[in-house]
Amino acid sequence: MNCDEIKNLLSECKNLADLSQMPDAAAHIKSCAGCRAALGYEEKLRQGFASIATEAPPPDLAARIMAIQAEQLKETGLTQAAAEPDWFDLLLRSLQGFPFKIAFAAGLTGFFAAILILHQPQLATVQKPAEIATRREQTAPAVVEDKIGQLAMKPEEKQAEMADKSMQLAMLKKSDQPEKADKLMPLAESASRLPATEEDSDAESLNEERIPGAMTFALDSSEDSFVPESSAGGATFADQPAASEPDMQLAMAPSENREMTKSVAPASPARFAPPPPVSSIRARMSASQVASEGKGKKFELSDEMFAETESSDPLAEELRELIKANAIDLAEGFISLDELAMRGYLPAEKLRRLRPPTGSGWYLQKNAGQLRIFLKKR
Amino acid sequence: MKMTPEELWKLAIRGDQLAWQKLYELFGGPVYQFFLRNTRNVEMAGDKTQEVFLRIFKSREAFSGGSLKSWIFRIARNLLIDEWRRSGHREVLSEHLPEVADPSIQVEEEVINAIEHAQMKALIDECLQLLDEDSRMTVCLVYLADLSIPELAEVMETPLGTAKTRVRSARLKLDAMLCEKMQIKRVEQGL
């Protein structure tokens, strides 16, 4: 072994005591003054550095560092549940890739559009034969609220109404009109037998005009005559809505009186939804057409949309801020989050949050001193 | 039973206070001195040491094995570089390494033997101030933090050969300064 080899060993050897384990090196050092001096110097130097390294740091530093563990564990304990991603987070994370984003957005738009179309109020059907049979003119724009109000009537309120009618009957019997009372009786009884929920469940009745207590007829085209609607699948007494007090009085009155009452009494609100004005239907249709056309356009402009998504991606922005704030000098290309974490820039929770979906990565682009970060497929 | 730093780390991140304290005892001093010798600022050295420990605990999931010491000093080195950048430091890890000069020590054995331990420590401290930042950091990582050359390569994120060259270059500068100082001392002491 020569002097150069010894000097190399001295500078690279981690523990100088190891040199004594090498017989060649030990023999050379024993015989060479220069190498002995070099070994002595090396020992002194390392001892000097060791004594510097073991110089005690300020006493308060120990307390500050000991507190880190407790604080961090406490914080983690509190945020552990929050840090766990739920299924929606996982779904969104899995949809971070560009094509999935578009597909998901289009799917959602389509879904809501379908819901909106399905929930449009339908045009009311007018049963003309029933109208003819009852000689009632179709009154103008029907008010849906009236029916809704009836449907919304509570069973207790209906019971109270029935009680009122019974009292009226009793009074009529006592008065000088017992025959009217007798006529009213069966109608009132049949009305009282009607279950309150029956008409509530009949959603289609919203679109039909019915006269309480009256039997409706439908036109039988084969015989060219009117038949009771029950045979034609129409309403019968059993499924008539409960008669209100003025309606019952109207039904009980003689025909001439009935006409007169009808002319004096305020027009009974029709019980079907008015057809929406044609202009509004057109407006709705054109709106949906525009929406669908817009969707098509979005697909065509996918690159622009991608660019918008990148610039507004809060995760990309967060990463960019982190790099800027710490003045981390990164080369253009894919960013290694693990590398940043290893270097101490990314705490665990931030690393989890910023982790890109599988198959893609954060890409750093430098443009005239500006950092641009976006998701890119690897 | 003596535990390795990595074993202590596993216990510390599960909340073992004693293990955390042991880790501080192992690395707190060298990390603090690393910052102190490189910044010459006691407050900053304390703050940066605290930040290193905070970062390692916050990034505990990022440590997937290997040398804990290398990881700690990697964070420390990055913090120091960040600090230099923030303060507009003129030289940040130049890739241009100086030519390696003649490595021979031109100091006699008796002179070296005559230097006391305290004197050597003071001389080292004095010379460290005179070194360029890059060399100083390298020297501190090897001799204060007691990193091996492969560990240094890991910390500095350079190939092993580059790490060796850096150490050699830094040592030559330091040795030259120390030898000069020792010769002066020798004259002063009349040896």
Side-chain angles (χ1 to χ4, degrees), chain A residues 159-185 187-189 191 243-252:
Chain A
Q159 278 177 357
E161 199 180 339
M162 289 303 164
D164 284 349
K165 281 170 189 164
S166 305
M167 278 183 70
Q168 260 189 338
L169 274 173
M171 284 174 73
L172 280 169
K173 273 184 182 173
K174 281 182 185 173
S175 67
D176 53 352
Q177 294 172 312
E179 66 282 357
K180 276 189 184 176
D182 290 340
K183 281 180 188 174
L184 192 58
M185 182 73 87
L187 281 175
E189 279 174 359
S244 65
E245 191 181 338
D247 286 341
M248 282 181 72
Q249 282 174 353
L250 176 65
M252 284 297 299

Side-chain angles (χ1 to χ4, degrees), chain A residues 175-301:
Chain A
S175 67
D176 53 352
Q177 294 172 312
E179 66 282 357
K180 276 189 184 176
D182 290 340
K183 281 180 188 174
L184 192 58
M185 182 73 87
L187 281 175
E189 279 174 359
S190 68
S192 65
R193 277 199 303 272
L194 286 175
T197 53
E198 197 174 318
E199 61 184 285
D200 293 0
S201 62
D202 191 10
E204 281 187 9
S205 65
L206 269 172
N207 301 325
E208 292 173 0
E209 183 187 19
R210 285 175 182 164
I211 298 168
M215 197 166 185
T216 56
F217 291 83
L219 180 65
D220 188 339
S221 56
S222 60
E223 291 178 16
D224 206 15
S225 63
F226 291 111
V227 292
E229 222 183 7
S230 55
S231 59
T236 59
F237 278 128
D239 50 20
Q240 290 296 312
S244 65
E245 191 181 338
D247 286 341
M248 282 181 72
Q249 282 174 353
L250 176 65
M252 284 297 299
S255 57
E256 60 274 29
N257 287 359
R258 201 187 298 166
E259 290 300 321
M260 191 183 70
T261 318
K262 206 173 93 178
S263 63
V264 173
S268 164
R271 297 193 182 112
F272 56 84
V278 178
S279 58
S280 78
I281 296 169
R282 278 196 187 136
R284 262 201 295 269
M285 281 176 70
S286 57
S288 63
Q289 275 170 352
V290 167
S292 62
E293 279 166 17
K295 266 186 272 171
K297 207 172 178 182
K298 275 179 189 172
F299 277 112
E300 282 165 22
L301 298 171

